Amino acid sequence: MISIKKSLLLLLSLLFVLNNVFAQEKFTLSGTITDTNSNETLIGVNIIFPDLQTGTNTNEYGFYSISLPEGNYKVQISYLGYSTITETISFSEDKSINYKLAETTESLDEIVIKQDVEKLNIKKPQMSVNALSINTIKQMPVIFGEVDVIKSITLLPGVTNAGEGSSGFNVRGGAVDQNLILLDEATIFNSSHLFGFFSVFNPDAIKDIKLYKGGIPAKYGGRVSSVLDIYQKDGNSNEFHMNGGIGIVSSRLLAEGPIKKGKGSFLFGGRSSYAHLFLPLFDIDNIAYFYDLNTKLSYRLNDNNSIYLSGYFGRDVFNISDSFENTYGNTVVNFRWNHLFSDKLFSNMSLIYSDYYYGLNLDFVEFDWDSGIQNFNFKYDLKHYVNNNFKLEYGLNSIYYKFNPGEIQPSTESSGINPFKLTDKYAFENAVYIDAEHKISDKLSVSYGLRLSSFLRLGQDELNVYENNNPIIFNEELQIYEKAEPIDTENFSRSDVIESFMNLEPRLSLAYQINDNSSVKASYNRMSQYLHLLSNTTSPTPLDVWTPSGKYAKPQLLDQVAVGYFRTFKDNEFSLEVESFYKTIKNRIDYVDGADLIANNAIEQVILNGEARAYGLEVLFRKNEGKFKGWFAYTLSKSEQKTEGRTALETGINNGQWYSTAYDKTHDISLTGSYELNDKWTFGSNFLFQTGQPTTFPNGQYEYNGITIPNYESRNSSRLQSYNRLDISATYNPKPNSTKRWKGEWVFGIYNVYNRRNAASINFGENRMTGRNEATRLAIFGVIPSVSYNFKF
């Protein structure tokens, strides 16, 4: 036994010596890349060494690191919209070099965010990821001329929404609540203003946008459909600037400048709608408006440490004739600390507070309603540049949740309303992860990782107890589900654990490069989601309530595989991406017929755990350069859900058969383009076509005690008419070569050029005049022209 140990030690020692003798000594080049004028860090800058055919790019904070053998090498640092730096570097020791890139041209759109992130990288294993620059988004025609981040991503393959005036977005057949939306790493629970007409993101404050649809890195978790990761700008640390826009229904203003020149900066942005101010002129008492604020403070303490404090506050107000007032919105605050341990180890620590509030003031019944969700989030992430062929990311994440399902308070002493509080819920979510990006050979690259997540449903004041632990029973005679009566209640302290869950979430992506211009990629990921949005409407509303997994609602578990072919043409001027995906989700909540979700203190009495699946084909053909830029996106997909009976006697939902989800769109086509005619004029257009939204229609009726009762077909077995729309825009810059500080441009747009009356819903009822049943189609928007003026100085 001793001889075997000695032999192993001798062998390991020999390998170590040989490795040090024959291995070529390497040195590390690291640093940060920023914009010359604003000192804003740049994400995704390419650092290429042509002689060695190797390179890297900057991370979310502008940091890069690469190891090279001893010698003299030419380096090229390139970024779209900036002058390329080319120089020769001599390597005989580790070096730290910070580069500053200068803008090639001066235009109204901030060049700092006109980045190369949209171009396809066929070598990296990362797939199912779409990136858009703000410059691209600003050139898209939009309703009322208000630039919209959320609506822009619905023009990408695999991304849809429930139609005009709907909140959120759907990715690869997933529900709205299955998307993790991050703003500077803080969770945004509602991404829309005015019930879906606008997004909550001020485009002037946004720096980087990435949408992960599959192959999601292990550092992300908590949702099973997608991750929308958005970073705000840091602010200009060299000089003071302001920019903004004035539109028909809203305006925005952003100010940024140095706290201490070259070291610290501030950013403050505000946005508000004001169309409601003109409604009294038309004798309309109703009011609807929104406002939001973006803030960020950044300070570089020294070469190895930087701190950031960012925040967002948004509110929507909807008022009907002073008898009904609805207020809702997000609040987030995030403190971050970047620390560089060495030229190969970068870290970021975040302390985050996030809150979503929903309030109702019902004067006509004299009571107020409040609900919401709060969380406190701690994150610590490290990125380790081991060598050029191997990079590690690892970290941990802890989130404490408080759920307020609802509280009623009388608004007057004489209302006769008794205060009522739904039971608050509490939970604690934790995760640790590790991710590796490994270049195995010149042709094969792999990314693999593991996330271990846990969820603790903490004690609450009152929890119902049911016979046989069954909160919902099946009436065999009537063939319907009914609420079970609680037989008792349990009370817990906050430190008690009612239910606990733990899941391993492996991630794997790989890319095999066929030649210099094409590759094939594949990915698999498993993800867990411990929060559920209680909503049985086609599109989520602010009144919908989040609830944690627990005794009766189990965590959703996703398994997704994707394969794809990727190709570039003419030195990346054109690119083609073709992906196919298949995913299954366990424990997807479904609602029994007639489920009441609002102010329900026993939601377990109307829900069942089912399953979902989605599969499809996505095509994205893109033109990246030249006067004309744009893309063609097509998605062929199917999204279904099934909830079988728990026993052989139960029917389940929809008789236990698969049925189309409300966001199933068989065909989804979008054409997006922009054309730069000259320095003064740029034109943009969008065309969309989507299969009609699934819906359930009545197929008969019967009378009971003189009341006519409709009978409905199988769930979501019919569809609305197909959706299609054409939008156009024109941007006019009257003085493109002006050297004055003030610069302005006009943006003209027409939404829905040919006035298509797309159906948002079809309702059935009896015509009181004729006594006959009839269908009424609701269409929200026809043709809408717009004009806005953007400026900066």
Side-chain angles (χ1 to χ4, degrees):
M1 187 70 178
I2 297 175
S3 61
I4 294 175
K5 287 185 178 180
K6 286 184 177 180
S7 299
L8 287 172
L9 288 172
L10 181 61
L11 179 60
L12 290 172
S13 301
L14 180 61
L15 289 172
F16 179 79
V17 171
L18 289 173
N19 181 67
N20 283 277
V21 169
F22 293 106
Q24 188 174 11
E25 187 175 8
K26 290 190 175 184
F27 302 100
T28 301
L29 172 68
S30 62
T32 303
I33 300 180
T34 58
D35 175 88
T36 300
N37 295 327
S38 67
N39 217 32
E40 184 90 27
T41 56
L42 302 177
I43 303 173
V45 178
N46 297 310
I47 302 98
I48 306 296
F49 290 84
D51 299 336
L52 300 173
Q53 294 188 338
T54 188
T56 187
N57 47 49
T58 54
N59 69 4
E60 295 88 346
Y61 298 95
F63 177 78
Y64 73 94
S65 178
I66 186 169
S67 298
L68 300 165
E70 185 175 1
N72 299 323
Y73 304 105
K74 183 172 74 172
V75 61
Q76 292 178 342
I77 300 170
S78 62
Y79 198 55
L80 186 65
Y82 287 80
S83 298
T84 298
I85 294 177
T86 302
E87 65 180 31
T88 299
I89 301 178
S90 176
F91 283 94
S92 58
E93 61 181 359
D94 293 340
K95 290 179 180 288
S96 177
I97 303 177
N98 297 326
Y99 289 100
K100 291 184 177 293
L101 296 185
E103 301 172 9
T104 54
T105 58
E106 183 71 22
S107 67
L108 185 61
D109 292 317
E110 291 290 342
I111 298 296
V112 69
I113 46 181
K114 287 175 63 178
Q115 47 189 297
D116 211 14
V117 295
E118 295 178 9
K119 287 192 176 181
L120 176 64
N121 189 326
I122 64 172
K123 296 181 180 181
K124 283 186 171 292
Q126 189 178 67
M127 66 179 297
S128 306
V129 178
N130 293 118
L132 287 177
S133 70
I134 287 295
N135 183 57
T136 299
I137 293 174
K138 285 182 176 180
Q139 293 175 356
M140 296 178 181
V142 286
I143 190 169
F144 300 127
E146 182 66 30
V147 177
D148 196 310
V149 171
I150 298 298
K151 286 185 171 54
S152 68
I153 65 173
T154 62
L155 299 172
L156 297 168
V159 188
T160 63
N161 64 10
E164 292 168 335
S166 62
S167 300
F169 58 97
N170 307 100
V171 177
R172 289 186 169 176
V176 169
D177 69 307
Q178 294 173 339
N179 303 313
L180 177 63
I181 303 174
L182 301 174
L183 179 64
D184 275 351
E185 302 181 0
T187 303
I188 300 294
F189 287 97
N190 188 326
S191 62
S192 300
H193 280 309
L194 297 184
F195 305 99
F197 292 126
F198 306 99
S199 80
V200 300
F201 304 108
N202 183 341
D204 292 336
I206 301 304
K207 175 179 181 177
D208 184 67
I209 301 169
K210 278 192 178 71
L211 175 68
Y212 297 84
K213 301 178 293 184
I216 299 174
K219 69 177 180 179
Y220 299 111
R223 301 293 187 277
V224 295
S225 209
S226 75
V227 177
L228 180 62
D229 198 4
I230 300 176
Y231 279 90
Q232 294 188 116
K233 294 165 57 179
D234 296 333
N236 193 319
S237 64
N238 286 337
E239 54 187 11
F240 178 79
H241 284 282
M242 294 187 73
N243 63 282
I246 302 171
I248 294 176
V249 297
S250 67
S251 290
R252 63 188 191 277
L253 184 66
L254 182 139
E256 56 181 328
I259 298 174
K260 183 177 182 180
K261 190 169 182 178
K263 290 183 70 78
S265 62
F266 69 85
L267 180 146
F268 295 103
R271 201 170 49 138
S272 178
S273 64
Y274 41 70
H276 65 285
L277 299 177
F278 304 102
L279 294 180
L281 299 176
F282 304 96
D283 293 326
I284 299 176
D285 295 332
N286 303 338
I287 292 175
Y289 66 92
F290 74 86
Y291 61 91
D292 53 37
L293 301 170
N294 296 78
T295 62
K296 193 166 187 179
L297 303 175
S298 308
Y299 197 84
R300 183 170 59 86
L301 301 173
N302 51 46
D303 290 341
N304 295 329
N305 294 279
S306 298
I307 55 175
Y308 307 86
L309 180 64
S310 58
Y312 169 85
F313 178 82
R315 282 293 182 268
D316 285 71
V317 178
F318 182 56
N319 190 303
I320 298 179
S321 301
D322 294 327
S323 61
F324 169 96
E325 183 174 317
N326 178 201
T327 304
Y328 63 93
N330 301 280
T331 303
V332 299
V333 179
N334 183 7
F335 171 78
R336 284 177 291 161
W337 169 41
N338 287 175
H339 177 65
L340 192 62
F341 286 99
S342 70
D343 52 13
K344 291 188 175 184
L345 185 58
F346 178 90
S347 71
N348 176 70
M349 184 195 74
S350 299
L351 298 171
I352 306 167
Y353 169 78
S354 180
D355 171 77
Y356 175 68
Y357 166 81
Y358 179 86
L360 278 174
N361 183 284
L362 302 172
D363 286 343
F364 66 98
V365 289
E366 299 183 319
F367 74 80
D368 297 334
W369 166 274
D370 290 332
S371 65
I373 175 174
Q374 293 178 304
N375 75 56
F376 301 88
N377 188 350
F378 172 77
K379 291 175 80 263
Y380 194 58
D381 306 291
L382 298 102
K383 188 162 187 177
H384 193 172
Y385 301 81
V386 179
N387 56 50
N388 292 347
N389 297 326
F390 193 74
K391 299 179 179 66
L392 282 174
E393 287 192 63
Y394 42 91
L396 56 89
N397 185 199
S398 294
I399 308 174
Y400 175 79
Y401 296 98
K402 178 185 178 182
F403 302 83
N404 173 17
E407 180 177 8
I408 292 175
Q409 290 287 345
S411 56
T412 63
E413 293 183 0
S414 60
S415 65
I417 301 292
N418 294 321
F420 175 70
K421 179 82 172 70
L422 299 178
T423 305
D424 286 344
K425 301 177 177 68
Y426 305 86
F428 194 32
E429 183 175 355
N430 299 282
V432 292
Y433 74 90
I434 184 168
D435 234 338
E437 186 176 327
H438 190 181
K439 183 180 178 182
I440 296 176
S441 68
D442 289 340
K443 289 185 175 293
L444 181 62
S445 295
V446 182
S447 175
Y448 45 90
L450 186 65
R451 183 181 181 91
L452 175 63
S453 62
S454 69
F455 190 82
L456 305 178
R457 176 69 179 272
L458 301 178
Q460 61 189 57
D461 292 340
E462 190 175 272
L463 183 68
N464 289 334
V465 177
Y466 300 92
E467 186 176 353
N468 299 323
N469 208 29
N470 188 8
I472 183 170
I473 57 178
F474 184 71
N475 187 318
E476 295 181 26
E477 181 180 352
L478 298 177
Q479 292 288 289
I480 60 172
Y481 285 95
E482 297 177 339
K483 300 176 180 178
E485 288 295 327
I487 58 175
D488 198 1
T489 58
E490 291 181 284
N491 295 283
F492 301 89
S493 68
R494 293 289 175 269
S495 59
D496 291 337
V497 176
I498 299 175
E499 199 80 12
S500 64
F501 306 94
M502 182 173 290
N503 287 288
L504 275 174
E505 305 174 26
R507 318 287 170 90
L508 174 67
S509 301
L510 59 89
Y512 181 79
Q513 190 173 350
I514 300 171
N515 52 45
D516 290 342
N517 300 317
S518 61
S519 66
V520 290
K521 300 184 182 184
S523 69
Y524 164 78
N525 60 275
R526 165 169 274 236
M527 301 185 75
S528 305
Q529 178 170 335
Y530 300 100
L531 307 188
H532 309 268
L533 183 65
L534 301 176
S535 173
N536 57 2
T537 58
T538 300
S539 173
T541 70
L543 191 56
D544 297 334
V545 175
W546 290 86
T547 191
S549 295
K551 195 171 182 179
Y552 305 109
K554 305 304 180 184
Q556 300 178 68
L557 299 176
L558 163 88
D559 288 287
Q560 179 176 219
V561 293
V563 294
Y565 174 74
F566 303 83
R567 183 176 176 84
T568 60
F569 308 88
K570 291 188 175 182
D571 196 25
N572 222 346
E573 181 180 352
F574 299 90
S575 62
L576 173 67
E577 304 175 44
V578 181
E579 291 192 37
S580 180
F581 68 91
Y582 182 87
K583 65 182 185 181
T584 61
I585 299 174
K586 298 177 182 177
N587 302 325
R588 177 64 183 162
I589 279 183
D590 209 345
Y591 308 98
V592 300
D593 293 334
D596 54 323
L597 303 182
I598 299 176
N600 189 339
N601 207 23
I603 203 69
E604 67 273 7
Q605 296 176 340
V606 294
I607 63 172
L608 293 171
N609 289 307
E611 59 182 311
R613 68 183 181 190
Y615 46 92
L617 176 72
E618 300 171 354
V619 178
L620 178 62
F621 182 74
R622 199 164 197 156
K623 187 176 187 298
N624 302 302
E625 299 176 359
K627 285 184 171 293
F628 174 78
K629 302 184 186 73
W631 66 81
F632 165 79
Y634 172 67
T635 306
L636 172 67
S637 64
K638 184 66 178 174
S639 173
E640 298 176 301
Q641 190 163 334
K642 180 174 74 170
T643 304
E644 296 179 323
R646 296 166 298 181
T647 68
L649 298 176
E650 292 189 13
T651 60
I653 293 175
N654 198 53
N655 292 318
Q657 301 298 311
W658 288 103
Y659 67 90
S660 297
T661 63
Y663 27 89
D664 174 51
K665 304 287 180 72
T666 308
H667 301 283
D668 181 15
I669 300 172
S670 63
L671 279 165
T672 303
S674 65
Y675 180 72
E676 186 180 348
L677 180 66
N678 50 45
D679 290 344
K680 291 188 175 182
W681 286 98
T682 300
F683 299 94
S685 66
N686 302 326
F687 173 76
L688 291 85
F689 173 88
Q690 294 177 351
T691 301
Q693 180 178 303
T695 188
T696 306
F697 291 151
N699 58 5
Q701 65 182 35
Y702 60 92
E703 287 194 7
Y704 180 76
N705 290 336
I707 301 173
T708 301
I709 300 174
N711 186 69
Y712 287 89
E713 61 188 0
S714 298
R715 190 175 289 195
N716 287 348
S717 57
S718 294
R719 289 184 182 270
L720 300 179
Q721 290 178 305
S722 61
Y723 180 98
N724 59 87
R725 193 186 79 234
L726 173 67
D727 313 323
I728 59 174
S729 69
T731 302
Y732 175 62
N733 187 346
K735 297 178 180 179
N737 300 316
S738 174
T739 57
K740 295 181 179 179
R741 284 180 60 88
W742 181 277
K743 299 181 187 298
E745 68 179 16
W746 292 91
V747 181
F748 308 93
I750 302 178
Y751 179 89
N752 196 2
V753 172
Y754 49 82
N755 197 30
R756 164 82 173 182
R757 306 295 292 181
N758 290 296
S761 64
I762 295 180
N763 298 310
F764 293 84
E766 182 179 301
N767 188 312
R768 293 185 180 181
M769 300 293 293
T770 63
R772 301 183 58 172
N773 293 334
E774 62 181 17
T776 304
R777 184 182 69 173
L778 172 65
I780 298 178
F781 293 125
V783 58
I784 299 179
S786 65
V787 59
S788 59
Y789 178 73
N790 299 324
F791 59 88
K792 76 169 187 177
F793 59 90

